């Protein structure tokens, strides 16, 4: 297993192997998205309290889950890079940041759109909302720090440390609705219980898995590009671009 | 097409879904354009013999 990881993690092998994986992520993304849209907008009933506005939850909740998931991937990848000096781990961390920031932005904006008809306001300085906003700032800080250094090694290390330190915000976001008196509702889905109508749950899961595949595809596409930039002085990149060895 | 209307929440729901679609589209377009730019820059670099 470790040998396979080491072989896959070599930039050249990764570049070649990942090209074959991307279509296998894109096809499920498209299929699950279409199924999720159908289930969320057509099959799923209106909620007895929220009415049809519950349909916003089918994009808001998966986006919020992705914002946390990608941050953890980014921080863990940075940690792996720091400990085992695996170059590809730093690449994964770097390219994950803008994707995570986009999902965090999406979670905040769709939550705000849902909040207007439900709470009567676009924004409240609630613990869940504020900690999610801090997550967006952490992503932006990570990206800024990563671009602030000319030396890629220093940039990798500095941003990886920031990513690991920022992990403290993840349990704060998750438990904020329990730790503080929050306007935001508690979790409707957990490992032990699902407290929602089955069609709503199916719509939520379909879009949630679609977003996972989307992240996988985008992350690989961006990582391939980053690998080319970092390995531009290698012979294999020159051969790949020019088609001949010089 | 009635199933696309959601009472008083229609605008909020469609705004959310359109923003989601736009965000995903921007992520794809930026990924593709970055790749295109990288390939062009590397071709220029190798053509100059650096």
């Amino acid at each position: 297993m470790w040998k396979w990881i080491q072989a896959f993690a070599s930039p050249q092998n990764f570049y070649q192997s990942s090209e074959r994986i991307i279509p296998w992520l894109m096809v499920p993304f498209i299929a699950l998205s279409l199924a999720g849209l159908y289930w969320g907008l057509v099959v799923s009933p209106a909620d007895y309290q929220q009415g049809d506005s519950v349909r916003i939850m089918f994009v808001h909740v998966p986006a919020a889950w992705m914002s946390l998931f990608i941050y953890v991937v980014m921080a863990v990848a940075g940690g792996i890079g720091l400990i085992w000096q695996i170059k590809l781990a730093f690449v994964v961390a770097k390219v994950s940041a803008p994707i995570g920031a986009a999902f965090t932005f999406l979670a905040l904006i769709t939550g705000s759109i849902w909040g207007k008809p439900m709470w009567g306001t676009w924004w409240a300085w609630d613990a869940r909302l504020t900690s999610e906003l801090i997550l967006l700032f952490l992503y932006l800080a990570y990206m800024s720090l990563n671009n602030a250094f000319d030396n890629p090694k220093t940039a990798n290390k500095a941003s990886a440390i920031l990513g690991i330190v920022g992990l403290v915000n993840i349990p704060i976001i998750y438990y904020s609705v329990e730790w503080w008196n929050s306007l935001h509702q508690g979790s409707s889905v957990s490992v032990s219980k699902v407290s929602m109508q089955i069609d709503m749950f199916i719509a939520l899961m379909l879009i949630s898995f679609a977003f996972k595949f989307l992240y996988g595809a985008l992350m690989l596409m961006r990582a391939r590009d980053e690998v080319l930039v970092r390995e531009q002085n290698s012979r294999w990149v020159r051969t790949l671009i020019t088609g001949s060895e010089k | 097409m009635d199933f696309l209307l959601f009472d008083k929440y229609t605008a909020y729901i469609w705004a959310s879904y359109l923003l989601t679609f736009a965000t995903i589209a921007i992520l794809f377009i930026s990924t593709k354009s970055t790749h295109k730019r990288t390939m062009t820059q590397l071709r220029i670099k190798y053509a100059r013999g650096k």
Side-chain angles (χ1 to χ4, degrees):
Chain A
M1 181 70 179
W2 183 245
K3 275 188 176 177
W4 182 85
I5 291 170
Q6 279 188 318
F8 185 75
S10 93
Q12 188 176 0
N13 282 348
F14 167 78
Y15 191 86
Q16 288 164 348
S17 317
S18 58
E19 191 178 17
R20 292 192 291 273
I21 298 171
I22 291 167
W24 292 97
L25 298 170
M26 283 305 295
V27 172
F29 159 64
I30 294 167
L32 289 167
S33 295
L34 292 174
L37 281 175
Y38 177 71
W39 229 277
L41 295 173
V42 181
V43 178
S44 179
D47 184 70
Y48 78 106
Q49 276 185 322
Q50 301 176 39
D52 277 313
S53 75
V54 74
R55 296 178 204 283
I56 297 171
M57 290 295 116
F58 304 142
V59 286
H60 168 71
V61 175
W65 284 345
M66 288 308 293
S67 70
L68 304 183
F69 173 74
I70 296 173
Y71 194 89
V72 173
V73 170
M74 188 183 84
V76 169
I80 289 171
L82 281 178
I83 296 164
W84 287 295
Q85 296 297 313
I86 297 174
K87 286 190 223 170
L88 196 62
F90 287 124
V91 171
V92 169
K94 183 184 177 181
V95 300
S96 292
I99 310 171
F103 275 111
T104 311
F105 168 77
L106 203 53
L108 286 167
I109 206 87
T110 53
S112 177
I113 292 171
W114 178 88
K116 182 62 181 165
M118 289 294 108
W119 295 343
T121 181
W122 297 104
W123 181 263
W125 290 103
D126 169 89
R128 173 61 68 85
L129 277 68
T130 308
S131 52
E132 185 74 10
L133 183 65
I134 290 169
L135 184 69
L136 179 64
F137 292 151
L138 277 168
Y139 275 121
L140 297 178
Y142 183 97
M143 290 189 282
S144 303
L145 193 61
N146 207 294
N147 290 321
F149 297 95
D150 289 331
N151 184 346
K153 282 185 180 175
T154 315
N156 286 338
K157 282 182 187 170
S159 52
I161 291 166
L162 174 68
I164 292 165
V165 171
L167 265 180
V168 74
N169 192 39
I170 301 300
I172 293 175
I173 296 172
Y174 189 79
Y175 291 109
S176 58
V177 288
E178 293 175 24
W179 291 345
W180 288 281
N181 195 4
S182 176
L183 189 60
H184 197 284
Q185 67 199 62
S187 301
S188 300
V189 180
S190 67
V191 178
S192 56
K193 70 170 175 71
V194 176
S195 52
M196 65 170 69
Q197 202 266 348
I198 186 68
D199 287 318
M200 292 180 183
F201 180 69
I202 292 170
L204 202 62
M205 285 297 115
L206 286 169
I207 296 183
S208 177
F209 280 107
F211 281 178
K212 293 272 189 309
F213 283 106
L214 170 68
Y215 165 63
L218 283 170
M219 188 270 284
L220 287 181
M221 288 159 82
R222 285 170 177 252
R224 293 179 87 238
D225 198 61
E226 185 65 24
V227 162
L228 282 185
V229 173
R230 291 184 182 212
E231 298 290 314
Q232 60 184 281
N233 295 323
S234 308
R235 184 176 287 180
W236 72 268
V237 176
R238 180 183 285 270
T239 310
L240 183 89
I241 304 289
T242 60
S244 63
E245 287 193 45
K246 280 188 178 178
Chain B
M1 296 297 275
D2 281 354
F3 69 95
L4 297 178
L5 298 173
F6 302 105
D7 197 19
K8 58 185 175 181
Y9 302 114
T10 303
Y12 295 107
I13 292 168
W14 284 111
S16 298
Y17 280 82
L18 284 175
L19 269 167
T20 305
F21 178 79
T23 306
I24 292 170
I26 289 167
L27 279 172
F28 269 111
I29 292 165
S30 68
T31 304
K32 287 279 179 192
S33 66
T34 305
H35 180 67
K36 205 173 170 182
R37 197 168 53 242
T38 303
M39 295 300 269
T40 309
Q41 283 172 349
L42 289 178
R43 270 192 205 105
I44 292 167
K45 176 184 167 164
Y46 297 139
R48 284 177 182 163
K50 279 185 182 174

